Amino acid sequence: MTEQYLGIPVPVLSESNIPITKPDLLNMPRSNQYIWTATQRDLISHLVGLNPVLAEAGMRATEPSPNVAADLTVICHEMAGRLRKSPAQIAQELAEGFNSDPNPPTIQEAIAQKGYLNFLLNMHIFGNQAISEVETYQDHYGEQNIGEGETVVIDCSSPNVAKYMSIGHLRSTIIGESLARINRAIGYKVIRDNHLGDWGTQFGMLARAHELWADDYEELSEGTDPVKGLYKLYVRIHEEVEKEKIAERERSGLDANEDVETALEREGRRWFQRLESGDERAIELLKWATQKSLAEFQRVYDVLGSRYEYMLGESFYIPMIPRVLEYMRERNIASIDETGAIVVDLSMKNLDKLVVQKTDGTSLYSTRDLATLVARCAWFNPHRIIYVVGEDQQRYFRQIFATFDMMTGNTGPQTEHVHFGMIRLPEGKMSTRAGRVIFLEDLLTEAVDRARQKIDDLSRDLSREEKETIARQVGVGAVVFFDLGQGRERSIKFDWDSALSFTGRSAPYIQYAYARMRALLQRAQKEQMELRYDLPIEVTNQPGNALIKHLSKFPEAITRAAQTSRPDILAEYIFRAADLFTTLYDRVRIVNEPDSVRRNSLLRLTQASAQVVKNGLDLLCIEAPERM
Ligand code: ARG
């Protein structure tokens, strides 16, 4: 039985590709069961109990600005009109009402400050619950079931066959993997689909180049470096085309900005037509190129720890194209223009037009993306599809989504282009070795080399193997955090010093703080300080309490990161956790604290911090070294 969507049949997926990320919903707490969100929710319902009109006035509890000494704030200005009272008066009355009957028990008291109603947590009760929560859920602390098992498809990495992976694909790989983990953590079933670029005119060009010059490159023979050979073919044919263009323009007296089609391009186009009509030789070459390229990509994926439920290249959707075009033609979504191409008119959305079939009858990137959308809807019935692709394709995705909305009559899944800016790499040996090509593996290798040097200086008592593992964790982590920590929309310049810094916002800083927490706990264990879970949490210092509160906000940080597709929110959160712990560690005795209840509390706080940092790093695809 073939599956279909919009009446368009889709190819059958093989059994081996069944998604592996089905979350175990039963064991996950509801989003509002964690103490921090529960406190906010219960506070609001208690206040509404005091005055039901507040609900209609849209009362919310928010985090106060950092200079206010409070844990939660209700801003009364927004409710003033509705209640016909001044904000200060509302705050005053509510504070009195609350203090005469404080509830929930995690809140100690309310303080009215002009139009602001501030609340202080009861750190005995709140602290105990917050720490126990981390201890109960451990590796699952922070997980929720907001997604209720619905499916999110993440289109990410998606490099092009017969070329090297670019720094843009690296970003897509890292951001995509992190978003996959974050969405899974809040209860979505996640399908990572690597939409390999393995089809299109460029492969016609490649086939032509192969036909002409394959013998010139020994890399192309088995057992050497086929991807390099393919890349050389690609570079050569483009250089030849450029030369031909210049000659052609001179011959026909055209301006430099005028486009001319050269003989080589025509030949490439013809090869692509052969490819689309199933020419065996062309397909054989492409299959071979894909296999070789995948082996290269896989090495990068292994280093980064990213995995895919599916790696379905553009070529997979070719059989669907006639029906997709027919569907659009029948409904007048697409029409033939004066050149004979098939186009979608999007001018009413200010998106000009989208070409979906070329004059010569071949498909385009866009056609294959539309077919892919149809197939994904049929296979996965997704709630949301996220495309992690560079910002240069913003307009393109607007066009694709607008066209798809027309096809489905707005009944399709949510679609979202999670775009990101460019990373410029540092000058030096990496960028010069291959002209404009950047060898990603070189970037990662250099990161590990540099980390190894630092580790050598830092920790002399570790074995060679341990150092090697740590160098890999720190080096790769540094690159990943540099990417995720910056906010994906910014264009950034990669810089070794800040990526590998042990003092700033960086993976090594966080990893070092984590290793310190582990070392501290080990020391306590050696000194026979068994952790006691029956004793209360009593942390009487400011850095400790700040850390407890921060740990309780981890689930909320995950939710925000998921809903905005912004791993940097989580990166900042984890950095703060590491930083608050470092402050605590610098200012307060922990193992040497004489009072046993307090010492026990601080050790459990350390353990909970380590757990949160580890869970958070995992969502960012960064490993947490036990020692450093
Ligand atoms: N292969 C494309 C490129 O390198 C990215 C593909 C992104 N995904 C998609 N469904 N269009 O630019």
Side-chain angles (χ1 to χ4, degrees):
M1 194 189 71
T2 22
E3 288 180 88
Q4 51 96 35
Y5 183 73
L6 305 177
I8 304 170
V10 303
V12 179
L13 281 180
S14 77
E15 281 291 321
S16 61
N17 279 334
I18 296 308
I20 51 171
T21 49
K22 198 161 183 218
D24 182 2
L25 291 175
L26 291 178
N27 292 329
M28 292 182 190
R30 286 228 154 246
S31 62
N32 53 8
Q33 273 171 4
Y34 285 115
I35 188 67
W36 173 244
T37 18
T39 296
Q40 284 169 299
R41 180 203 56 201
D42 295 346
L43 171 64
I44 293 300
S45 57
H46 180 57
L47 292 175
V48 168
L50 294 176
N51 181 354
V53 185
L54 292 171
E56 295 152 39
M59 183 177 57
R60 305 171 281 127
T62 55
E63 261 187 80
S65 47
N67 55 349
V68 178
D71 299 312
L72 271 170
T73 293
V74 170
I75 302 172
C76 301
H77 302 80
E78 298 155 19
M79 304 180 289
R82 184 88 204 186
L83 296 181
R84 292 169 199 280
K85 282 179 186 162
S86 76
Q89 207 179 349
I90 299 173
Q92 191 58 41
E93 284 175 16
L94 282 173
E96 279 163 21
F98 181 91
N99 289 332
S100 63
D101 174 20
N103 196 346
T106 43
I107 294 181
Q108 179 155 337
E109 68 169 313
I111 303 157
Q113 222 170 37
K114 298 205 180 116
Y116 295 88
L117 178 58
N118 293 327
F119 296 91
L120 295 177
L121 291 173
N122 177 328
M123 284 312 288
H124 288 289
I125 299 176
F126 188 86
N128 262 300
Q129 295 207 22
I131 297 299
S132 317
E133 213 158 58
V134 183
E135 291 165 348
T136 306
Y137 295 110
Q138 300 183 24
D139 287 349
H140 296 282
Y141 175 62
E143 288 177 6
Q144 299 151 65
N145 68 4
I146 295 171
E148 299 186 318
E150 292 220 61
T151 299
V152 173
V153 175
I154 302 189
D155 181 311
C156 58
S157 194
S158 313
N160 300 319
V161 163
K163 284 206 232 170
Y164 289 97
M165 227 192 241
S166 73
I167 191 86
H169 297 122
L170 178 74
R171 280 208 98 175
S172 173
T173 306
I174 293 173
I175 298 171
E177 179 64 28
S178 176
L179 289 179
R181 295 182 190 196
I182 291 170
N183 276 284
R184 186 176 51 191
I186 64 163
Y188 285 100
K189 177 166 145 189
V190 175
I191 291 173
R192 292 160 289 191
D193 186 4
N194 191 334
H195 191 71
L196 296 172
D198 65 352
W199 205 257
T201 322
Q202 67 270 32
F203 293 99
M205 299 296 281
L206 185 70
R208 177 61 183 145
H210 193 268
E211 183 180 51
L212 286 170
W213 308 307
D215 293 341
D216 298 357
Y217 301 101
E218 53 190 50
E219 291 97 334
L220 286 170
S221 47
E222 216 48 55
T224 47
D225 192 352
V227 175
K228 192 177 210 170
L230 288 166
Y231 184 72
K232 284 185 174 171
L233 284 179
Y234 167 86
V235 171
R236 174 144 170 207
I237 196 155
H238 280 91
E239 280 169 6
E240 295 292 331
V241 165
E242 273 320 299
K243 276 190 227 153
E244 275 192 2
K245 276 194 198 295
I246 294 170
E248 184 66 36
R249 283 196 199 100
E250 258 171 30
R251 222 183 352 255
S252 31
L254 290 170
D255 275 357
N257 53 15
E258 230 151 334
D259 198 28
V260 284
E261 193 182 43
T262 69
L264 261 182
E265 285 176 302
R266 263 192 303 280
E267 287 154 17
R269 213 151 49 72
R270 228 170 287 133
W271 263 102
F272 181 49
Q273 277 170 307
R274 285 171 67 179
L275 199 56
E276 286 233 313
S277 44
D279 178 283
E280 258 174 52
R281 232 180 94 201
I283 289 184
E284 210 43 53
L285 173 67
L286 188 55
K287 272 200 186 141
W288 178 78
T290 304
Q291 195 198 351
K292 298 298 168 196
S293 302
L294 272 177
E296 292 274 316
F297 301 154
Q298 193 56 47
R299 281 213 300 276
V300 175
Y301 298 149
D302 286 344
V303 173
L304 295 171
S306 57
R307 287 192 300 156
Y308 302 92
E309 276 68 45
Y310 297 98
M311 288 209 194
L312 302 171
E314 293 179 37
S315 64
F316 195 75
Y317 303 93
I318 297 306
M320 292 175 62
I321 302 258
R323 285 295 299 271
V324 171
L325 290 173
E326 195 180 275
Y327 181 93
M328 293 201 284
R329 293 289 309 281
E330 279 166 11
R331 284 159 187 79
N332 290 324
I333 296 167
S335 56
I336 302 190
D337 76 356
E338 61 291 347
T339 68
I342 302 184
V343 301
V344 180
D345 179 9
L346 296 167
S347 52
M348 66 292 180
K349 298 201 167 152
N350 253 327
L351 290 168
D352 200 14
K353 59 176 190 184
L354 178 70
V355 184
V356 290
Q357 186 180 69
K358 285 196 249 173
T359 330
D360 65 8
T362 54
S363 71
L364 290 101
Y365 181 50
S366 60
T367 334
R368 300 185 289 272
D369 253 326
L370 290 169
T372 305
L373 263 166
V374 171
R376 284 175 179 161
C377 290
W379 292 327
F380 311 130
N381 184 26
H383 164 72
R384 187 176 178 204
I385 305 180
I386 295 174
Y387 291 80
V388 188
V389 187
E391 63 189 3
D392 50 331
Q393 294 190 30
Q394 278 192 77
R395 188 180 161 77
Y396 167 74
F397 278 109
R398 270 189 226 125
Q399 292 178 316
I400 290 290
F401 299 160
T403 304
F404 195 60
D405 284 345
M406 286 158 73
M407 290 172 67
T408 64
N410 294 310
T411 61
Q414 266 181 48
T415 46
E416 187 185 340
H417 179 200
V418 170
H419 49 90
F420 50 81
M422 286 289 120
I423 298 190
R424 274 183 304 133
L425 287 178
E427 303 295 318
K429 75 169 194 252
M430 264 181 318
S431 41
T432 49
R433 231 181 65 182
R436 291 195 347 266
V437 202
I438 293 135
F439 288 95
L440 279 188
E441 275 188 287
D442 291 352
L443 176 76
L444 295 171
T445 310
E446 179 155 355
V448 174
D449 286 345
R450 286 180 184 245
R452 190 182 297 113
Q453 266 171 29
K454 290 206 161 192
I455 307 289
D456 260 338
D457 304 342
L458 195 77
S459 29
R460 301 187 182 282
D461 58 327
L462 295 175
S463 76
R464 256 182 78 135
E465 277 144 328
E466 266 181 310
K467 277 188 189 167
E468 209 38 54
T469 307
I470 297 169
R472 186 183 52 75
Q473 294 173 323
V474 171
V476 175
V479 172
V480 171
F481 191 88
F482 192 87
D483 180 336
L484 293 179
Q486 309 253 354
R488 59 178 164 77
E489 285 167 29
R490 285 177 51 198
S491 286
I492 47 188
K493 187 163 170 160
F494 189 82
D495 124 54
W496 288 113
D497 289 337
S498 52
L500 281 165
S501 148
F502 277 85
T503 49
R505 278 181 165 65
S506 69
Y509 175 77
I510 300 169
Q511 289 169 317
Y512 190 66
Y514 176 77
R516 250 187 184 172
M517 298 171 198
R518 303 298 311 171
L520 203 117
L521 292 164
Q522 257 167 20
R523 209 184 115 202
Q525 206 174 29
K526 246 189 230 141
E527 297 181 19
Q528 320 287 331
M529 297 170 184
E530 278 304 312
L531 293 189
R532 297 262 313 259
Y533 297 98
D534 53 331
L535 296 178
I537 293 292
E538 229 171 76
V539 173
T540 46
N541 55 71
Q542 191 277 331
N545 280 327
L547 182 55
I548 293 178
K549 285 182 234 171
H550 189 68
L551 298 184
S552 76
K553 295 174 189 173
F554 181 53
E556 192 194 67
I558 301 177
T559 314
R560 267 191 297 133
Q563 282 164 351
T564 54
S565 295
R566 278 184 51 191
D568 62 299
I569 291 179
L570 211 53
E572 178 64 23
Y573 172 88
I574 298 157
F575 166 73
R576 282 275 297 155
D579 203 38
L580 285 168
F581 176 79
T582 305
T583 309
L584 177 75
Y585 184 90
D586 289 344
R587 295 212 197 130
V588 176
R589 286 181 300 188
I590 299 179
V591 177
N592 297 328
E593 160 66 48
D595 179 287
S596 65
V597 172
R598 260 187 234 162
R599 185 179 60 234
N600 187 60
S601 302
L602 287 166
L603 286 172
R604 280 174 64 191
L605 174 57
T606 302
Q607 182 177 260
S609 306
Q611 184 73 62
V612 169
V613 168
K614 180 159 168 271
N615 294 3
L617 285 178
D618 184 59
L619 293 175
L620 299 178
C621 327
I622 296 172
E623 289 181 48
E626 292 298 307
R627 293 181 66 188
M628 236 165 119

